Amino acid sequence: MADKTSNKMWGGRFAAGPDAIMEAINASISFDKRMAAQDIAGSRAHAAMLGAQGVIETSDAETIREGLLTVLSEIEGGTFEFSTALEDIHMNVEARLKEVIGEPAGRLHTGRSRNDQVATDFKLWVRDQFDAAEGALLALIDALLAQAEAGADWVMPGFTHLQTAQPVTWGHHMMAYVEMFGRDLSRMRDARARMNESPLGAAALAGTSFPIDRDMTAQALGFDRPSANSLDAVSDRDFALEFLGAASICAMHLSRFAEELVIWSSAQFRFVTLSDRFSTGSSIMPQKKNPDAAELIRAKIGRIFGANVALMMVMKGLPLAYSKDMQEDKEQVFDAADNLMLALAAMEGMVRDMNANRSQLAAAAGSGFSTATDLADWLVRVLGLPFRDAHHITGALVAMAEAQGCDLPDLTLEQMQSVHASINDGVFTVLGVDNSVNSRTSYGGTAPAQVRIQITRWKEHMK
């Protein structure tokens, strides 16, 4: 390849190239080379359109398209020499294309600007990340459904404030995360549909006088339509912000689940056992099995949140149309996408491999007076008491059981009647944890029958 220390892309306006400091702050090739495939795809679509419209000779268009494939093969093969002096992936590709095919390479940039070119490249890259996130979320949801189906009737404690509240089922708890990640999936799909408009042909900011066909390039690149305003097309980064927004909410869900896995796998809970593939040991404590994958998911989420805030700060003060500030749009998105995909893959692996300790879950489900609400409901439903009275009576019975070191089902009928004389032995039909979860038959409730309904619904949805 020829010497590229002198950058001629600014033409005759500047007599000398940028000095080292300006070159360092201005160049983006160190990170935007990740968009090489998207850049070449956009250029090949643009060249084909220019030829079809008669803007350039069809023979030149085909020569450009073939030359771009050669450049792509060099990049993918690791033999391409990237130059900081050429600033970005667009100029690196174009310079090499000229070396490969000669004079026709200079016709490629007809009817476009780097402004619409970079917007197109970045949109194509982000669109790929939406697709990758969708696939990863579907895999995670599938793993959660398998856990839910296996333990649809396994009882465990449900918590509020991390205090024992009411018994639920393992399947119900797993399905709660299915709903969460299902909303993430919906957000990814929704944002992808909204961003699927092509900026290519908006040129620098005002469109072009060449007779281009923007519908042709949009279709070639898989966009639904060309963007309708050239000013907006080159200055819009909503698609990246929406990706980061959806990624941040998804990351928050991942972090919540990771926190539960850290708690559940502790010696104090022993609700689950994580596989060795997603755990590590201690350098000095041989008994330790640390949930490092879950902890790292919990920590990496900060990078995704940070990327979201960083890009919002970049964009918040920019007048129309393009400003060089927008070069700072990519590194944060690249990093966030990498960490989201890693976190999703790690979480899917942990969910598929983890084993729930059914006996420990059941033992914990019956502790902490978890059926107190069932007792209060029974007093209302069977004895016709006002709920506030039933709440007071149940509180007195909880205090009695606590004083005697037992749980509510262990109190005798006589002891219960000492608090309220009308209580009869029918109360014992609601005090067991299995009775409790089986009674929660309202739509979306924790009863195994309801859990299985939701599993079936999601399986159908996944199809």
Side-chain angles (χ1 to χ4, degrees):
M1 298 176 68
D3 176 40
K4 295 180 180 176
T5 57
S6 177
N7 187 349
K8 302 298 185 185
M9 70 178 180
W10 291 341
R13 172 65 181 84
F14 293 87
D19 63 21
I21 294 175
M22 183 58 189
E23 181 176 290
I25 197 172
N26 198 46
S28 59
I29 188 60
S30 63
F31 52 86
D32 70 13
K33 62 186 177 183
R34 290 185 64 162
M35 301 191 303
Q38 289 80 14
D39 187 72
I40 289 172
S43 291
R44 293 187 81 241
H46 186 67
M49 180 275 296
L50 293 176
Q53 290 296 104
V55 177
I56 66 175
E57 295 293 331
T58 55
S59 58
D60 284 345
E62 192 54 36
T63 298
I64 290 169
R65 283 168 53 80
E66 289 300 317
L68 286 167
L69 289 180
T70 299
V71 176
L72 180 61
S73 68
E74 291 176 355
I75 294 172
E76 291 178 340
T79 61
F80 189 93
E81 181 186 338
F82 292 101
S83 168
T84 304
L86 290 172
E87 288 193 15
D88 56 32
I89 186 60
H90 325 297
M91 297 311 301
N92 270 263
V93 168
E94 189 172 325
R96 178 58 182 149
L97 179 66
K98 185 174 182 180
E99 293 175 346
V100 172
I101 67 172
E103 186 267 343
R107 305 184 188 282
L108 171 59
H109 212 52
T110 307
R112 75 174 184 184
S113 162
R114 276 199 302 172
N115 292 354
D116 63 331
Q117 186 180 1
V118 68
T120 302
D121 292 0
F122 197 26
K123 264 200 172 184
L124 290 172
W125 193 91
V126 171
R127 191 176 69 183
D128 289 343
Q129 305 317 301
F130 276 120
D131 292 341
E134 177 180 353
L137 281 164
L138 286 169
L140 176 54
I141 289 170
D142 182 71
L144 287 163
L145 286 171
Q147 285 283 353
E149 193 165 28
D153 57 357
W154 299 357
V155 292
M156 66 175 290
F159 298 94
T160 61
H161 310 279
L162 202 57
Q163 305 295 314
T164 299
Q166 294 175 266
V168 296
T169 55
W170 173 259
H172 194 52
H173 203 111
M174 294 298 102
M175 291 304 294
Y177 282 104
V178 169
E179 294 293 331
M180 287 188 204
F181 293 120
R183 291 192 296 273
D184 292 324
L185 180 65
S186 176
R187 272 184 283 271
M188 293 291 181
R189 288 171 169 171
D190 179 58
R192 188 200 189 282
R194 186 165 34 257
M195 62 88 72
N196 205 32
E197 296 182 345
S198 174
L200 192 56
L205 75 163
T208 178
S209 59
F210 290 99
I212 62 173
D213 184 347
R214 294 190 64 205
D215 287 296
M216 179 179 175
T217 51
Q219 183 177 5
L221 294 171
F223 289 111
D224 295 328
R225 64 191 70 85
S227 54
N229 184 284
S230 59
L231 281 168
D232 178 58
V234 298
S235 61
D236 165 44
R237 293 299 183 269
D238 287 6
F239 60 92
L241 288 166
E242 284 205 71
F243 173 74
L244 292 176
S248 293
I249 297 173
C250 180
M252 176 268 293
H253 290 153
L254 288 167
S255 186
R256 292 184 72 181
F257 198 7
E259 173 71 3
E260 293 208 310
L261 293 180
V262 170
I263 294 170
W264 289 354
S265 62
S266 68
Q268 289 71 30
F269 272 73
R270 294 186 295 114
F271 283 5
V272 299
T273 301
L274 300 177
S275 75
D276 291 347
R277 295 199 308 149
F278 294 97
S279 306
T280 65
S282 165
S283 61
I284 64 169
M285 294 172 283
Q287 84 281 9
K288 294 291 292 298
K289 185 175 182 179
N290 300 323
D292 281 12
E295 292 171 350
L296 287 167
I297 288 172
R298 194 174 55 186
K300 282 182 176 292
I301 299 320
R303 296 169 70 160
I304 299 173
F305 289 176
N308 193 14
V309 173
L311 185 53
M312 291 285 281
M313 293 300 292
V314 167
M315 298 301 299
K316 73 174 182 63
L318 300 186
L320 296 179
Y322 180 83
S323 297
K324 194 68 171 182
D325 311 51
M326 293 167 69
Q327 184 169 289
E328 292 297 306
D329 59 357
K330 296 173 193 67
E331 284 183 282
Q332 295 96 336
V333 179
F334 292 163
D335 185 74
D338 289 346
N339 282 283
L340 178 66
M341 292 306 301
L342 184 59
L344 283 167
M347 185 60 79
E348 183 213 343
M350 282 192 292
V351 171
R352 288 200 186 279
D353 287 3
M354 72 180 177
N355 290 312
N357 185 343
R358 185 177 182 181
S359 60
Q360 183 66 18
L361 290 169
S367 66
F369 310 105
S370 64
T371 56
T373 306
D374 297 279
L375 173 55
D377 288 348
W378 184 87
L379 292 170
V380 171
R381 189 173 61 251
V382 176
L383 300 188
L385 298 178
F387 182 78
R388 287 304 170 197
D389 292 348
H391 188 281
H392 178 77
I393 292 166
T394 301
L397 290 171
V398 167
M400 178 186 290
E402 190 171 35
Q404 297 188 19
C406 67
D407 205 349
L408 286 172
D410 301 316
L411 293 175
T412 66
L413 180 60
E414 290 74 18
Q415 288 172 319
M416 291 187 184
Q417 288 175 337
S418 70
V419 175
H420 194 280
S422 297
I423 295 176
N424 57 60
D425 59 6
V427 72
F428 293 102
T429 64
V430 300
L431 289 180
V433 291
D434 288 300
N435 292 332
S436 175
V437 297
N438 284 319
S439 72
R440 306 291 174 182
T441 56
S442 57
Y443 182 80
T446 194
Q450 280 295 323
V451 172
R452 293 186 176 102
I453 286 172
Q454 298 304 325
I455 292 170
T456 300
R457 180 177 69 86
W458 266 99
K459 284 186 172 182
E460 289 298 316
H461 180 68
M462 295 278 280
K463 290 179 182 178

